[in-house]
Amino acid sequence: MKKLHHLLLAFLLFAMLPAAYMLFQNDNNARKDYEAFLLSEYAKIPQADAASEKLPDMPEMAGVMDYFMTMDPKTKQVPLDRLTKARKATDLAKQRSMDPMPEWTSVPANMGGRARTMMWDPNDPTHNKAWAGSVTGGLWYNDDVSYEESEWIPVESMWASLSISVITYDPNNSQIFYVGTGEAETARIIYRESSGVGVGIYKSMDGGQSWSLLPSTERFKYITDVVVRNENGNSVIYAAAASGIYKGEIQESNTNGLWRSEDGGENWEQVLPMIPGEDMPYAVSDIELGADNKLYVGSAATVDLKGGATIFTSDEGTSGSWTVNETYKFLIEGQSYYKYPERIVLACAPSDENRVYAGVSVGYQDSGDGFIKFQANYFIRSDDKGESWYEVQLPATSPKNWAYLSWHAMAIEVHPLDADFVYAGGLDLYVTPNGGFSWNKVTDWALMYYGGGDDYVHGDQHDIAFNPGEPNEAIFSSDGGIFFTNESNDLSPVFTEANVGFNTLQFYTCALHPEEEIFLGGLQDNGTLRYDGEPLTINSMATGGDGAYCFIDEDTPNNWITTVYYTTIAGWEGQYTMSYNQWSKGTFVNPMDYDDNNDALYGNSCRFNGELADQIYRINGLPREQGISILYLNTGTSVPFSHVKVSPFSDDEVTLFVGSQSGRMFRIENAQSTEYNITEITSNEWPIANISCIAVGGSEDTLLVTFSNYGVNSIWQSTDGGDNWQSKEANLPDIPVRWAIYHPEGSAQAMIATETGVWICKNLNEDDAVWEPGGVNYPNVRTDMLQMRTSDNMVLAATHGRGLIFTNWDFDQTVPVDEVAETILNVYPNPATDFIQVDLPENILEATISVYDIQGKKVYSGFQKATSRIDIQSLPAGNYVIRMESDGKMIGSSKLVKK
């Protein structure tokens, strides 16, 4: 009978082989099809490979990478509505959570990330208070922005969107403020991270102390400007709305336009004419009021390049009252090369109702790949309230156009007392004293690499605001936060940085010292920063550009590695750089990991365009000497690897885990040698999507894999080295998961980094696992990476808009201990009454043995050798869990019944 049973089982297994093979083949073919789709899309993007001309930052490439990491693989779109739903679900989960969660502390920073809007507080009698909005860091205020040591204060960390685009107030009631959300500038023309999506307009009735979202504006995902106009004593709101694109899902075009409300934002009417020949309104880029209260509106191109470079004027502001000026639209369309009309930015002279200026953005296509670039080719002026316009001198044409990223960075403002004195900002700031006939370049962004100076203002200008109470004071917002001058009427003004506490830095990565409070972090447009206890400033910068992965050597923490986009690597001993090489491999923020034992760096070689596919590079001898070798994997993967993980259990023999953008995963053994072994551990149940992180638990058998796309099952765990996988998505909202870590004291508890902050699971090994937001004070901000050290359980989080944040994540002993262990301990007798004995495994000479009650409370702990006899007489009758640990790692566990 037994033999017959074995024969029957063998027959069944044999019969199942064709079906299993077909399932594997179908899965493999689907992943290859997805890889082909990715490569075809990458081929449409210029500079999707390492650029021959290194720019200080490449915001467009950050957006490219993030788009493909987060889009829904089925729809090939980033779904705007799901981020809003996820934020609401996160807020609700925070309200419901009763479990104790970590308290988080921000790493202090006196430098800022990208800020698009500012406003001087109309209710401050000293004229010193200012407000500023960050594109992913929320709304802030400063009680005295003119004082260098005055600190910025965040208004609210839990808004449904921290993407602030504009702030203004009601001239008839200065206690009423309006804040628009959504960064249209980077969402319409290029790919952009989903955290830039807005949720409408927030309103305050008490000078900014409390806020509420106007329900009528929730459909407006991208607000580019808001103006409140006094119309015969009535406060009328004008809101500029534009569509946004994520290379797939486009905001409905009927939300474009200029929206007018006479009742404080309860009801709205779109008042601009339709684009000729199109059934859609214009997309609006700017609204300005002349000194006589006349309305001036500039358009931007819609997502399909319609209706750009058009200027509208009106005295009434109502539908049918607009004069449309398409002079420059037609002029641009008549060109053979610079032929795409785009964004108009306006500035009215407060001292002269006739004088208006405008910058005109023009698109061009130089690589035949379908991607349009934009620069400001015209600077125009009107001396008759916008009835006619003529060109004046461009602020700069060499070595680049003054606003060569005009889709992203372009601002104009006229001095309150002099209609001829104009500021224009693109990469840098320029001043004209004569209405545009000559210009002075007054700032130099590159001084950030030399500690700043009188001319230093960070690159990429977004807003300029003169102090109404002190006209020669002005503030400027850029990709590096806020800057101030009290010499705004000077041709060589002195600028000071006004970023104390303005912690809106957009980090991609982070690393922490194994024992001290020393951190590294790579971030957008502000390089890689080193924190050593003093607030972060430009002097904290180790390397510039867009910072990427960074590492602090755990064995020799005086050594660290910093990288810039596309695998430009610097090795450091202390603060002295030993080597600096541009390897020109991989993707933008290129996935890599560092082997502390062997001082070697492993990273993805494959570029966006598919060159160097199926390769991992190894750079040896860090930090002093850099020699590169290649691991040719021959897995058939044609797209970049999206995650690289060095096993923490590696010593002289290195094990790597790598994941791909199509959801394939491999274990590479002996990666340090030329005779490495590769095993695929992809599950057929996995989504065809981007693997964002691979975490290793108590051994290489315990693995947690995350995916960063919308619309997929994002979290999977294996307890047998990848042979079998189980979904751990549980109650998590549909959000991109970007990183994961296990708690070092037990892999039943894990933390993940998501689009809405961090989440923690305390019962990961149970079928009914539950995820909860990981801290009531953690901001509602996209988080890209988590790093943890075992000496004190400190976790460092890299947020994309609120800087670096850290906490001490204690293992929750209140949760019943039911760890997945590689060894089930030999405990006898069991059940027991007085004493038990615990045998140590053959390869373990000594260990710490702990006993926990069913609530997870530790009731016994002792250091043991060989066979251990433990007195349990004092313990109440009930169920217990015994855990054994050695060298900081869990060896095994067993359940115990005390009679």
Side-chain angles (χ1 to χ4, degrees):
M1 246 343 250
K2 187 174 182 180
K3 182 176 181 181
L4 180 61
H5 174 76
H6 287 171
L7 288 173
L8 181 60
L9 180 61
F11 174 78
L12 290 174
L13 289 174
F14 182 78
M16 291 171 62
L17 284 176
Y21 176 77
M22 289 300 297
L23 181 64
F24 172 79
Q25 283 296 102
N26 290 338
D27 178 76
N28 194 42
N29 290 336
R31 293 187 194 279
K32 288 186 177 298
D33 290 344
Y34 187 67
E35 290 180 1
F37 160 76
L38 290 177
L39 292 176
S40 68
E41 290 298 300
Y42 288 144
K44 301 174 184 177
I45 311 299
Q47 295 182 327
D49 191 7
S52 57
E53 178 186 7
K54 292 290 183 181
L55 303 176
D57 71 316
M58 300 177 71
E60 68 277 19
M61 295 316 302
V64 167
M65 189 167 191
D66 201 77
Y67 165 71
F68 289 105
M69 284 176 61
T70 59
M71 72 174 186
D72 187 319
K74 295 183 180 65
T75 65
K76 308 299 188 294
Q77 301 168 355
V78 175
L80 305 181
D81 60 320
R82 289 186 224 169
L83 178 61
T84 300
K85 291 178 181 177
R87 285 167 171 162
K88 291 179 179 178
T90 302
D91 291 340
L92 185 60
K94 286 181 178 179
Q95 296 169 20
R96 290 176 174 175
S97 177
M98 300 296 292
D99 286 353
M101 287 293 177
E103 291 287 330
W104 294 81
T105 302
S106 293
V107 171
N110 293 342
M111 59 188 300
R114 185 160 71 255
R116 282 213 174 265
T117 185
M118 303 171 297
M119 180 184 78
W120 293 90
D121 193 305
N123 302 306
D124 178 23
T126 67
H127 306 295
N128 292 322
K129 184 176 182 179
W131 298 76
S134 162
V135 294
T136 54
L139 182 66
W140 301 65
Y141 69 87
N142 188 319
D143 285 325
D144 187 357
V145 73
S146 65
Y147 176 50
E148 285 189 57
E149 301 303 318
S150 183
E151 187 171 355
W152 289 91
I153 308 298
V155 172
E156 176 58 66
S157 299
M158 305 301 170
W159 278 4
S161 173
L162 295 182
S163 178
I164 308 302
S165 56
V166 62
I167 180 171
T168 193
Y169 68 92
D170 184 339
N172 292 319
N173 183 350
S174 61
Q175 289 293 315
I176 300 177
F177 292 177
Y178 296 92
V179 163
T181 63
E183 190 187 18
E185 290 79 6
T186 52
R188 292 177 304 104
I189 304 305
I190 61 161
Y191 304 93
R192 195 60 196 170
E193 54 263 66
S194 57
S195 49
V197 179
V199 294
I201 298 174
Y202 282 91
K203 182 177 182 178
S204 174
M205 300 292 292
D206 52 14
Q209 296 182 54
S210 62
W211 297 83
S212 60
L213 182 65
L214 289 172
S216 61
T217 65
E218 290 187 8
R219 56 186 169 147
F220 300 145
K221 301 302 183 184
Y222 298 102
I223 301 292
T224 56
D225 204 357
V226 178
V227 167
V228 185
R229 184 174 182 241
N230 180 9
E231 298 184 3
N232 300 317
N234 186 34
S235 298
V236 179
I237 311 167
Y238 292 86
S243 292
I245 187 171
Y246 287 88
K247 190 53 183 179
E249 183 163 323
I250 301 173
Q251 181 188 332
E252 290 298 324
S253 61
N254 60 12
T255 59
N256 284 334
L258 182 69
W259 294 85
R260 184 176 189 268
S261 175
E262 297 182 355
D263 54 9
E266 297 295 323
N267 297 282
W268 297 86
E269 177 191 6
Q270 203 290 117
V271 293
L272 286 187
M274 294 289 184
I275 299 173
E278 305 288 335
D279 186 25
M280 69 174 71
Y282 288 86
V284 177
S285 57
D286 197 10
I287 312 169
E288 296 292 328
L289 291 179
D292 60 350
N293 214 29
K294 185 174 183 175
L295 275 164
Y296 298 82
V297 172
S299 77
T302 62
V303 293
D304 51 359
L305 298 178
K306 305 290 186 181
T310 302
I311 299 173
F312 306 85
T313 58
S314 174
D315 291 313
E316 292 80 24
T318 54
S319 179
S321 69
W322 297 89
T323 299
V324 182
N325 189 317
E326 297 179 294
T327 301
Y328 281 88
K329 173 183 177 293
F330 293 138
L331 174 64
I332 294 165
E333 289 175 338
Q335 305 297 313
S336 60
Y337 185 62
Y338 295 102
K339 59 183 180 180
Y340 300 101
E342 221 288 302
R343 182 182 176 203
I344 292 274
V345 172
L346 297 157
C348 297
S351 61
D352 185 348
E353 63 184 33
N354 296 296
R355 187 72 61 83
V356 190
Y357 299 90
V360 184
S361 180
V362 176
Y364 62 98
Q365 185 177 350
D366 68 351
S367 54
D369 50 24
F371 192 88
I372 311 298
K373 304 175 184 178
F374 296 89
Q375 65 183 38
N377 279 8
Y378 303 96
F379 200 97
I380 59 177
R381 165 178 165 173
S382 174
D383 297 327
D384 54 10
K385 300 184 180 182
E387 292 188 18
S388 61
W389 298 83
Y390 61 95
E391 294 176 39
V392 291
Q393 186 70 33
L394 287 175
T397 57
S398 179
K400 283 184 175 292
N401 180 282
W402 69 284
Y404 71 91
L405 297 176
S406 58
W407 55 267
H408 171 64
M410 183 167 62
I412 306 170
E413 202 67 39
V414 186
H415 193 281
L417 305 179
D418 186 346
D420 288 326
F421 203 97
V422 185
Y423 276 79
L427 176 63
D428 283 302
L429 286 167
Y430 301 83
V431 166
T432 175
N434 49 30
F437 292 101
S438 65
W439 293 87
N440 282 12
K441 183 173 179 286
V442 294
T443 66
D444 183 357
W445 69 268
L447 291 174
M448 69 183 297
Y449 300 123
Y450 304 97
D454 292 349
D455 297 341
Y456 170 59
V457 172
H458 195 286
D460 295 341
Q461 310 305 311
H462 303 301
D463 196 14
I464 304 165
F466 291 94
N467 188 340
E470 300 288 343
N472 290 331
E473 292 184 354
I475 47 179
F476 306 82
S477 72
S478 68
D479 269 18
I482 312 300
F483 292 77
F484 170 84
T485 185
N486 58 9
E487 300 175 345
S488 67
N489 60 338
D490 199 297
L491 289 176
S492 299
V494 172
F495 297 90
T496 57
E497 195 168 357
N499 280 322
V500 174
F502 192 60
N503 198 351
T504 55
L505 298 171
Q506 297 174 306
F507 280 91
Y508 299 120
T509 63
C510 61
L512 71 169
H513 191 282
E515 296 177 349
E516 302 176 36
E517 201 166 290
I518 295 175
F519 309 141
L520 289 176
L523 64 161
Q524 191 269 332
D525 202 14
N526 280 286
T528 298
L529 304 182
R530 181 180 187 270
Y531 173 73
D532 57 5
E534 296 296 322
L536 295 172
T537 68
I538 57 172
N539 293 318
S540 306
M541 190 176 296
T543 44
D546 285 292
Y549 278 71
C550 50
F551 306 94
I552 298 176
D553 194 306
E554 288 197 7
D555 300 326
T556 313
N558 197 44
N559 295 345
W560 25 291
I561 311 299
T562 63
T563 67
V564 187
Y565 57 74
Y566 295 119
T567 316
T568 297
I569 297 175
W572 300 80
E573 285 188 354
Q575 295 188 19
Y576 178 66
T577 179
M578 304 303 300
S579 53
Y580 192 86
N581 288 314
Q582 295 184 8
W583 295 107
S584 188
K585 294 181 182 297
T587 53
F588 184 71
V589 179
N590 193 49
M592 59 183 70
D593 201 9
Y594 182 65
D595 174 13
D596 301 271
N597 294 322
N598 302 293
D599 301 333
L601 191 69
Y602 294 85
N604 161 65
S605 291
C606 184
R607 298 169 179 160
F608 281 124
N609 60 13
E611 292 181 10
L612 308 180
D614 221 357
Q615 299 178 22
I616 295 292
Y617 62 73
R618 179 178 60 233
I619 300 176
N620 300 310
L622 294 168
R624 284 182 172 268
E625 299 176 4
Q626 294 185 5
I628 191 167
S629 55
I630 301 296
L631 281 67
Y632 297 95
L633 303 190
N634 297 316
T635 67
T637 304
S638 60
V639 293
F641 292 110
S642 50
H643 189 75
V644 177
K645 175 68 176 178
V646 175
S647 168
F649 300 101
S650 297
D651 42 34
D652 292 338
E653 294 184 356
V654 179
T655 298
L656 291 183
F657 295 96
V658 297
S660 79
Q661 292 183 349
S662 61
R664 299 181 71 187
M665 180 175 166
F666 306 91
R667 180 175 58 245
I668 307 170
E669 297 170 303
N670 298 319
Q672 80 290 343
S673 73
T674 57
E675 298 180 358
Y676 43 88
N677 301 312
I678 304 167
T679 303
E680 181 163 10
I681 52 177
T682 306
S683 170
N684 287 336
E685 297 180 81
W686 283 0
I688 302 173
N690 184 84
I691 292 178
S692 55
C693 187
I694 302 166
V696 182
S699 78
E700 290 178 1
D701 283 342
T702 304
L703 304 170
L704 196 65
V705 175
T706 64
F707 292 81
S708 59
N709 300 75
Y710 284 100
V712 304
N713 205 325
S714 303
I715 306 174
W716 296 80
Q717 180 173 257
S718 174
T719 59
D720 54 13
D723 289 339
N724 297 281
W725 295 90
Q726 183 179 10
S727 170
K728 293 297 177 180
E729 179 91 351
N731 62 313
L732 197 70
D734 182 10
I735 46 176
V737 179
R738 296 176 180 269
W739 206 265
I741 55 174
Y742 279 113
H743 198 290
E745 295 182 25
S747 51
Q749 299 184 22
M751 182 184 295
I752 56 173
T754 78
E755 211 75 0
T756 62
V758 297
W759 292 69
I760 291 175
C761 180
K762 298 180 180 180
N763 63 337
L764 194 62
N765 293 323
E766 297 180 9
D767 291 337
D768 56 346
V770 175
W771 292 95
E772 294 185 283
V776 292
N777 71 326
Y778 198 97
N780 189 357
V781 64
R782 166 185 147 186
T783 305
D784 282 31
M785 181 179 284
L786 300 168
Q787 295 291 349
M788 185 172 187
R789 67 185 181 202
T790 58
S791 60
D792 58 359
N793 294 339
M794 177 179 283
V795 177
L796 182 65
T799 80
H800 200 73
R802 282 296 182 90
L804 296 174
I805 304 179
F806 66 94
T807 190
N808 288 93
W809 180 28
D810 295 328
F811 189 79
D812 193 342
Q813 302 290 358
T814 66
V815 178
V817 180
D818 188 15
E819 283 278 346
V820 172
E822 283 62 54
T823 301
I824 298 177
L825 300 178
N826 185 19
V827 179
Y828 55 95
N830 191 2
T833 55
D834 300 323
F835 297 89
I836 58 171
Q837 294 195 160
V838 183
D839 290 344
L840 271 65
E842 292 182 359
N843 61 332
I844 301 297
L845 300 178
E846 52 191 26
T848 298
I849 296 178
S850 302
V851 180
Y852 296 83
D853 65 19
I854 196 64
Q855 300 302 318
K857 181 181 178 182
K858 187 185 294 185
V859 294
Y860 169 85
S861 183
F863 187 71
Q864 309 290 345
K865 295 183 178 181
T867 298
S868 303
R869 190 168 186 264
I870 300 173
D871 185 349
I872 61 170
Q873 295 181 80
S874 62
L875 298 182
N879 296 322
Y880 295 84
V881 173
I882 299 175
R883 295 177 61 207
M884 180 186 295
E885 297 180 44
S886 179
D887 293 330
K889 302 180 180 67
M890 195 188 76
I891 303 304
S893 66
S894 178
K895 292 183 179 180
L896 168 69
V897 177
K898 165 68 187 301
K899 294 191 296 184

